[in-house]
Amino acid sequence: MDAFQGIIKFFVNQKTIIGYSFMALLTVGSERLFSLVAFKCPCSAENTVYGLVFLLAPAWVLLILGFFVNNRSWKLFTGCCVNPRKMFPRGHNCHFFYVLGQIILSSLVAPMMWLSVALLNGTFYECAMSGTKSERLLELICKGKPKECWEELNKVSCGKTSMTTTDNEELKLSLQAQSQILGWFLICSASFFSLLTTCYARCRSKVSYLQLNFWKTYAQKEKEQLEDTILDYANKLSERNLKCFFENKRPDAFPMPTFAAWEAASQLHSFHQGPQYYSTLHKVVEDGLDHHPEDDETTMVLVGSAHSV
């Protein structure tokens, strides 16, 4: 039993790595499926557009999906047209751009994986480059090759050129090699940039290593328990309302957060070393919130003294 619990704890602690590994496997599988089933290079003047669409369009879709599935995106933009002050709270005008940068970086993971896998495979790049009309690219690709290379490059992917089979195969291998070089360059660049941003974020951290670990653990636990609590309260409220509706009676009081409390708990969190709040919800609970009747319903007034942890 202890060994089983240890295995579970290991997987829980490594869930980020496991998630990225699963995403990488899914990306590889999707790329192979596209290459074998959907992708058919036209071997015409449309090669460049066709190849680039298969190379870049899935990456763009994955980027958009990354924004959609990131809860911080909606926490950042929900209600911003009604109350722009949500995006740029007083004293934290730059925090919006910091959070937006984090959202963009996390959303770029899947597109970068797709581009890396697609370039390492070389099929899409080969098709796109074989349709180029650029003199410089043609000179680079066809250097040392027969003159037919300049005229029939778009037919290389299909093997229908008037060149010998050896020259045609060498040209295909050359394009695939270029694609793989770009793929490894992209992987190395992304890894190095990820290391730099992580090091910079840790160097600029306002908390120590242990406190940062506690903060991450707290944030994760709060998120999990908040989802469970919201589901529980929604079930209880819907059950109460349905029961009162069918029994035709007045409902009992059901305590719920005020509108102002919902607004306050939905704001972006910014850590301060004074009162050590580990989330916006933590700050709302510790400080308390007072909503005056004469205020606009989107106006929040935090009251009470700060409590040090």
Side-chain angles (χ1 to χ4, degrees):
M1 181 61 70
D2 292 339
F4 182 70
Q5 291 178 347
I7 294 174
I8 294 178
K9 185 177 180 180
F10 171 79
F11 280 108
V12 170
N13 292 337
Q14 304 298 324
K15 59 184 175 183
T16 301
I17 297 176
I18 294 173
Y20 282 139
S21 301
F22 176 77
M23 188 186 301
L25 291 174
L26 189 62
T27 303
V28 172
S30 301
E31 194 277 336
R32 293 304 300 165
L33 185 63
F34 268 85
S35 299
L36 297 175
V37 178
F39 185 79
K40 302 293 181 183
C41 190
C43 295
S44 65
E46 300 175 351
N47 281 14
T48 299
V49 175
Y50 188 81
L52 289 178
V53 165
F54 271 83
L55 185 64
L56 300 178
W60 175 254
V61 173
L62 288 172
L63 179 64
I64 300 301
L65 288 176
F67 276 95
F68 265 108
V69 300
N70 194 324
N71 291 331
R72 301 190 76 186
S73 302
W74 306 117
K75 194 170 185 179
L76 185 66
F77 292 107
T78 299
C80 64
C81 294
V82 178
N83 183 13
R85 180 55 63 181
K86 287 182 176 181
M87 300 175 66
F88 303 100
R90 292 182 179 86
H92 304 287
N93 291 332
C94 296
H95 192 59
F96 165 79
F97 298 103
Y98 175 74
V99 176
L100 181 62
Q102 290 182 321
I103 294 172
I104 293 174
L105 287 176
S106 62
S107 300
L108 280 173
V109 173
M112 294 295 285
M113 284 185 178
W114 169 267
L115 289 175
S116 300
V117 171
L119 287 172
L120 288 177
N121 184 35
T123 305
F124 304 148
Y125 178 89
E126 176 191 328
C127 181
M129 289 299 291
S130 65
T132 183
K133 298 299 182 182
S134 172
E135 293 292 334
R136 289 187 177 181
L137 291 177
L138 284 172
E139 185 176 352
L140 176 65
I141 296 171
C142 296
K143 185 177 181 181
K145 302 293 189 300
K147 63 179 182 179
E148 290 84 0
C149 174
W150 294 76
E151 302 170 356
E152 303 176 354
L153 181 61
N154 56 2
K155 299 179 181 179
V156 168
S157 296
C158 302
K160 297 180 179 179
T161 65
S162 57
M163 293 186 294
T164 63
T165 304
T166 303
D167 289 335
N168 192 86
E169 189 64 26
E170 286 181 357
L171 196 53
K172 289 184 66 174
L173 291 176
S174 177
L175 291 174
Q176 291 176 2
Q178 294 174 20
S179 179
Q180 291 172 348
I181 290 172
L182 286 176
W184 279 115
F185 177 77
L186 183 63
I187 292 173
C188 294
S189 300
S191 302
F192 184 65
F193 180 75
S194 177
L195 176 63
L196 283 182
T197 53
T198 302
C199 290
Y200 177 78
R202 291 302 179 96
C203 291
R204 299 280 297 176
S205 176
K206 298 178 181 179
V207 299
S208 63
Y209 175 77
L210 289 178
Q211 191 175 12
L212 184 61
N213 284 344
F214 173 81
W215 187 0
K216 290 181 178 179
T217 302
Y218 170 82
Q220 181 62 32
K221 292 298 180 182
E222 182 187 84
K223 178 182 177 182
E224 294 173 357
Q225 294 179 17
L226 179 61
E227 291 174 353
D228 293 339
T229 304
I230 287 176
L231 179 61
D232 182 50
Y233 267 75
N235 287 333
K236 290 179 180 178
L237 181 60
S238 62
E239 182 180 353
R240 185 206 69 161
N241 293 340
L242 288 171
K243 183 177 181 181
C244 293
F245 174 77
F246 283 104
E247 295 180 0
N248 194 24
K249 66 178 184 180
R250 298 296 300 171
D252 298 328
F254 193 89
M256 288 285 290
T258 63
F259 179 87
W262 284 111
E263 287 286 296
S266 300
Q267 301 304 304
L268 294 173
H269 176 252
S270 181
F271 187 84
H272 293 279
Q273 290 177 318
Q276 298 181 31
Y277 302 129
Y278 293 101
S279 69
T280 305
L281 185 62
H282 184 194
K283 178 179 176 62
V284 171
V285 171
E286 290 286 350
D287 283 0
L289 187 143
D290 183 24
H291 191 214
H292 299 285
E294 66 272 17
D295 291 340
D296 182 76
E297 68 174 358
T298 59
T299 303
M300 296 174 298
V301 183
L302 295 177
V303 297
S305 59
H307 299 278
S308 299
V309 177

